[in-house]
Amino acid sequence: MRAFVEVQDLRRVFDVSKPLLNRIIEREPRRYLTAVAGVTFDIAQGETFALVGESGSGKSTVARMVVGLLEPSGGTVTIDGTPMEGAASAAERQRLRRRIQMIFQDPYASLNPRWRVDRIVSEPIRAFRLFEGEAAIRARVGELLAFVGLHPEDGRKFPHQFSGGQRQRVAIARALASNAEFIVCDEPTSALDVSVQAQILNLMRDLQDRLGLTYLLISHNLAVVRHMATRIGVMYLGRIVEVAPSRELFGAPKHPYTRMLLDAVPDLAHIGRRREPVRGEIPNPISPPSGCHFNPRCPHANDRCRREVPPLADGVACHAIHEGRLEPGRAETV
Amino acid sequence: MAGESGSALSDPPGPGWFARAGDSDTFASFKASKVAVAAAAVTALLFLLALLAPLLSPQDPFDPAQLELINSRLPPIWTLGASWPFLHATADGQWPFLLGTDDQGRDILSAILYGLRVSILVGFLGVLFSATLGILAGLIAGYVGGAVDAAIMRVADVQLTFPAILIALLIDGVVKSVMGSRITTTAILAVLIASIGLSFWVQYARTVRGSVMVEKNKDYVQAARLIGLSSPVIMVRHVLPNVIGPVFAIATINFALAIITEATLSFLGSGMPDTQPSLGTLIRIGNRYLFSGEWWIVAFPGATLVLLVLAVNLLGDWLRDALNPRLQ
């Protein structure tokens, strides 16, 4: 089966140099920040692929490149066989855009505060000319609002008249308005109350079942990922360090970083157990460590780890695993 | 999901725009501020007087045929010993000169009403021009960023080093030397409006640019980019309505500034001519007679100008505070 979304060696470098004059006076070279350093994954149709990682691991940058909001510095994104870069014509590019939508983190910022909800939801319909005539568009908007659990009458309201969860429903309705098949969700619930998070996640799963949607889910919340994802990629400092089906990753994590993350998750089964706290902080991506990016925090690092970048093989990028120095284990046994 | 579902909050259709404006915080703060209400009342009154000038004024001061030199420099009517209410036509059907006349025999009251028209027109169009220019420059600078932003903002910095009067005198000088004696009142009006517009656009540009730089990174703009809308469409449809608020406060204060600038230019002689006087022109004419005791020619136009500018300024100050969330 061909993958629906293929991401190949995606890279993104940001220029974080000081202004020209400061550089000349202070004799400083240009400085670059490598946010994403060669990320490869693919997503099958109808699947939910999750990217997890700490702040600064580059997961949101990947999301923005996949939907085309950010130009990659290198690598390719292919959606259903069509490459995003250099899509032959403007019309082809627009056809591709219709099939990809995004749900943003902050529902307070992702809806134009001066627009009524029906106008917000109808904008993609008008932009892609999916329906002709005001009456047809209004009917479709009402249908979409009902689809996400709102009342069609709510279209006459402004975003500030809704709660955070309801706004996220509006954002989902907008994402569905263009009949998108692939939806990138960038931390869709992290700005919401815990009580509302589950409702939104269940709505997303429900819509996936009914419409056959494919999701790329960006999250730092392992509970959310466990609930939603079919497969999971763990990112660390711009690289994917482990990719595995959800059950496998939570059951038998391989990479030391994954184990550290899972061990930090509070759960009811291990109350009172002494935990290994997450040690150290994510290094500055402007001057990342040589070799394996995780080596300064890794208990199993040796000279080779400090020298060579481990390739992603058998779903994990770790010399210790590849060499057999470390057995895949249960999260609790780190 | 019950608590979240839409049916729970489908209250009846909201009240209309006007009713909502009446309920808004801004309107409440307006009603609470006596100064703002008074300033708005005075402004409205002066606007009304200017609008209805042809109906209210006893004389058309722009029509030389109505002027009699014999009536020149008559003092206000009450200084001549006339009794209240002063207003009765003389035997030959002529209205008395309530506030006196100037050196041409022009009724000061009529001249003020017509002068108000010119001042308000120049102020309004000047503000419209400068706001359009400034909003456009600020939108483009803030949204495009980079070299374009740097170029526009450096031009703005240079612009700030020239006083408005200097720019106006420059434009006025060039236009007058090009057109010579063929210059028309319309051309003078256009010069005034252009000079004022070119002097005041910087403040709009800076304010709008700052707000645009905040708004353009918000996700609703990203969502619009996602469906392939072009930058100009996103700027006008999404960004502009969200940055326009502070512009109204600036525009109100600049309206007062524009009126003063016009009056100054006319006072200096590079504004409206004697035949089509604005308030500034009237003050200039009156200034010549101040030392010979004919005080009314300068005093009444001057008082009107002060009243208009003060009222608009107070209104603008209130609006600026009302729209500033940090002061609430």
Side-chain angles (χ1 to χ4, degrees):
Chain A
M1 188 184 87
R2 194 183 63 188
F4 187 59
V5 179
E6 283 174 84
V7 173
Q8 192 67 41
D9 198 27
L10 204 59
R11 289 168 188 280
R12 177 68 207 201
V13 178
F14 291 105
D15 187 346
V16 290
S17 315
K18 289 179 180 170
L20 180 68
L21 212 55
N22 295 43
R23 286 206 310 275
I24 294 171
I25 293 167
E26 294 164 27
R27 291 165 194 279
E28 268 189 34
R30 279 186 167 278
R31 298 210 294 173
Y32 296 99
L33 183 155
T34 305
V36 178
V39 161
T40 300
F41 60 86
D42 47 42
I43 310 174
Q45 189 128 30
E47 187 184 45
T48 300
F49 183 78
L51 279 180
V52 293
E54 284 168 274
S55 311
S57 60
K59 50 196 195 306
S60 282
T61 310
V62 170
R64 284 177 186 272
M65 286 192 285
V66 168
V67 293
L69 282 177
L70 201 63
E71 293 288 321
S73 307
T76 54
V77 177
T78 311
I79 312 280
D80 201 14
T82 318
M84 289 272 280
E85 273 305 283
S89 63
E92 193 177 332
R93 178 122 202 179
Q94 195 68 354
R95 268 203 297 282
L96 206 54
R97 280 200 189 102
R98 187 196 64 69
R99 305 174 66 182
I100 312 165
Q101 279 297 316
M102 187 159 178
I103 299 170
F104 296 91
Q105 176 173 5
D106 183 1
Y108 292 84
S110 69
L111 307 175
N112 188 337
R114 305 227 165 226
W115 280 26
R116 286 178 199 277
V117 162
D118 52 5
R119 190 168 172 210
I120 292 173
V121 175
S122 70
E123 200 185 22
I125 301 175
R126 292 177 210 272
F128 296 112
R129 297 200 174 77
L130 298 177
F131 284 86
E132 291 298 329
E134 279 307 305
I137 292 176
R138 207 171 314 128
R140 173 66 177 154
V141 170
E143 189 180 283
L144 285 163
L145 288 176
F147 223 63
V148 297
L150 294 172
H151 197 274
E153 291 280 315
D154 290 339
R156 297 308 299 158
K157 293 181 183 169
F158 285 96
H160 66 83
Q161 291 168 288
F162 292 95
S163 71
Q166 287 164 335
R167 287 184 205 210
Q168 203 60 301
R169 285 171 193 269
V170 174
I172 293 172
R174 172 178 62 190
L176 296 177
S178 65
N179 302 325
E181 296 151 58
F182 174 47
I183 299 183
V184 174
C185 315
D186 188 2
E187 308 260 14
T189 58
S190 60
L192 303 178
D193 282 351
V194 176
S195 57
V196 180
Q197 288 187 2
Q199 295 173 2
I200 295 298
L201 293 174
N202 286 335
L203 172 68
M204 284 170 58
R205 281 184 71 149
D206 185 39
L207 292 171
Q208 182 171 39
D209 291 343
R210 281 156 77 184
L211 303 170
L213 299 173
T214 306
Y215 287 135
L216 170 59
L217 177 69
I218 309 292
S219 184
H220 62 259
N221 185 336
L222 290 170
V224 167
V225 167
R226 186 172 209 163
H227 182 68
M228 294 290 291
T230 5
R231 281 191 315 132
I232 298 169
V234 181
M235 279 191 79
Y236 186 77
L237 215 61
R239 292 182 189 145
I240 288 186
V241 295
E242 183 165 357
V243 184
S246 180
R247 191 177 301 272
E248 209 173 292
L249 190 107
F250 280 98
K254 291 181 188 148
H255 199 280
Y257 177 62
T258 317
R259 298 186 195 193
M260 201 163 101
L261 277 186
L262 293 185
D263 201 41
V265 176
D267 60 74
L268 289 173
H270 298 97
I271 289 170
R273 182 173 67 92
R274 209 184 68 78
R275 289 169 181 281
E276 193 69 28
V278 173
R279 288 185 304 159
E281 272 178 36
I282 199 158
N284 186 347
I286 294 174
S287 49
S290 63
C292 173
H293 280 171
F294 188 60
N295 79 64
R297 293 166 81 179
C298 180
H300 312 285
N302 62 12
D303 277 348
R304 189 183 172 210
C305 300
R306 284 183 268 276
R307 245 184 6 254
E308 288 173 37
V309 178
L312 188 64
D314 298 328
V316 61
C318 177
H319 292 308
I321 296 275
H322 294 167
E323 291 165 5
R325 285 190 279 128
L326 185 63
E327 287 298 313
R330 292 191 51 76
E332 293 81 9
T333 62
V334 175
Chain B
M1 235 183 250
E4 263 288 301
S5 86
S7 56
L9 47 64
S10 64
D11 47 39
W17 181 87
F18 193 74
R20 274 192 292 114
D23 290 338
S24 71
D25 294 348
T26 314
F27 192 71
S29 109
F30 177 75
K31 280 191 293 190
S33 164
K34 288 199 179 70
V35 175
V37 173
V42 171
T43 311
L45 177 73
L46 289 173
F47 269 62
L48 207 66
L49 287 179
L51 200 68
L52 302 177
L55 300 175
L56 295 175
S57 56
Q59 185 193 59
D60 182 0
F62 295 172
D63 180 9
Q66 292 192 18
L67 306 182
E68 303 260 4
L69 221 49
I70 199 166
N71 291 331
S72 73
R73 290 190 269 157
L74 291 176
I77 196 164
W78 59 87
T79 61
L80 294 174
S83 57
W84 182 259
F86 312 133
L87 290 172
H88 39 80
T90 48
D92 54 349
Q94 176 98 48
W95 281 95
F97 301 108
L98 190 61
L99 300 181
T101 60
D102 69 358
D103 59 329
Q104 315 274 333
R106 196 157 41 190
D107 178 35
I108 296 283
L109 177 64
S110 309
I112 287 176
L113 292 180
Y114 276 89
L116 256 179
R117 289 190 125 188
V118 177
S119 289
I120 288 174
L121 181 75
V122 170
F124 183 75
L125 291 180
V127 162
L128 203 66
F129 182 44
S130 61
T132 312
L133 204 63
I135 290 170
L136 211 63
L139 258 184
I140 293 171
Y143 194 82
V144 179
V148 176
D149 177 30
I152 292 177
M153 293 330 282
R154 288 306 80 75
V155 171
D157 289 344
V158 171
Q159 174 78 70
L160 274 188
T161 64
F162 290 96
I165 300 289
L166 182 61
I167 294 170
L169 289 175
L170 279 173
I171 298 178
D172 183 66
V174 170
V175 172
K176 276 197 177 137
S177 67
V178 168
M179 294 185 77
S181 58
R182 288 168 294 124
I183 195 153
T184 59
T185 320
T186 323
I188 294 175
L189 265 178
V191 168
L192 282 172
I193 291 162
S195 338
I196 290 168
L198 287 176
S199 318
F200 289 127
W201 66 273
V202 175
Q203 213 183 347
Y204 298 97
R206 287 190 163 171
T207 310
V208 168
R209 171 179 173 265
S211 315
V212 168
M213 284 168 68
V214 173
E215 293 297 322
K216 78 166 176 184
N217 288 321
K218 290 199 177 159
D219 286 336
Y220 70 86
V221 174
Q222 305 298 324
R225 288 182 54 203
L226 212 53
I227 55 174
L229 297 182
S230 64
S231 295
V233 172
I234 295 176
M235 273 193 259
V236 173
R237 239 197 248 172
H238 286 278
V239 180
L240 186 59
N242 284 295
V243 299
I244 205 81
V247 167
F248 287 115
I250 300 176
T252 314
I253 291 171
N254 272 4
F255 179 61
L257 274 178
I259 288 171
I260 289 199
T261 308
E262 185 278 326
T264 313
L265 287 170
S266 295
F267 181 79
L268 291 175
S270 58
M272 297 306 288
D274 288 10
T275 47
Q276 304 259 303
S278 73
L279 291 177
T281 319
L282 291 174
I283 293 170
R284 172 165 55 85
I285 296 169
N287 192 42
R288 294 202 288 260
Y289 297 94
L290 200 53
F291 288 115
S292 54
E294 281 114 7
W295 53 272
W296 58 89
I297 307 181
V298 70
F300 295 119
T304 313
L305 183 66
V306 168
L307 198 65
L308 176 62
V309 170
L310 187 67
V312 173
N313 244 330
L314 288 174
L315 204 59
D317 275 352
W318 163 79
L319 195 61
R320 188 187 54 198
D321 292 348
L323 293 178
N324 186 348
R326 264 176 290 180
L327 290 179
Q328 280 165 6

